[in-house]
Amino acid sequence: LKPSNVLVSEVDQKPVPKIIDFGLAKATGPRLSQATVYTEAGGVVGTPDYMSPEQANGSERNIDTRTDVYSLGVILYELLVGVLPFSSQGGGLTPSILEKLRADEPTLPSSKIKALGEASEESAEKRQEEPKSLRRHLRGELDWIAMKALEHDRSRRYGSPSELAADIQRYLNDEPVLAG
């Protein structure tokens, strides 16, 4: 998942996201024809900026829906902060970006805003805030939600996009979030 593959339409005056590209979708049923094409084992495919640590590991064969949760976490992080937690800077699937994805933990969104320096002003302005107030709004529950979605250990990540969405809804309803 990446932003260019998510279309938001309006249904009954409410925004409804729709996935519009399943380029790396995994079949869960029997083959439909003899011409079914498979990705080579050990190959790494995808957009590195939105790739989960397990996806960056070419030997990992047990990719599941939690990799989509990670990608949604990257999108959430980008929406909150205005930048990606890790960026390949258009360099593609290089060994260094794959190693960074496998080994490095992302910075808390509130800390990333502070680390952006002058660039944080642009990010904050797009969110109609000052950098300090944006950091304050991100600190705590929004940090926790983003970091749980971006957890390297899949067993500690949200188990499904619905669980992530439910925690975001709890935040919006001023209810305690599970990520805490």
Side-chain angles (χ1 to χ4, degrees), residues 25 27 31 33-40:
R31 289 179 10 165
S33 74
Q34 295 299 328
T36 301
V37 177
Y38 294 96
T39 303
E40 181 181 327

Side-chain angles (χ1 to χ4, degrees), residues 1 19 21-28 37-39 45 55 63 68:
L1 294 173
I19 307 302
D21 183 353
F22 292 93
L24 296 178
K26 179 179 172 183
T28 57
V37 177
Y38 294 96
T39 303
V45 293
Q55 208 176 353
I63 304 294
D68 291 332

Side-chain angles (χ1 to χ4, degrees), residues 91-103:
L93 286 169
T94 63
S96 63
I97 189 66
L98 292 175
E99 180 57 31
K100 182 177 273 214
L101 289 167
R102 289 189 297 261

Side-chain angles (χ1 to χ4, degrees), residues 113-126:
I113 286 288
K114 187 173 186 175
L116 288 174
E118 288 184 26
S120 70
E121 291 182 29
E122 183 183 338
S123 256
E125 186 178 309
K126 287 180 180 177

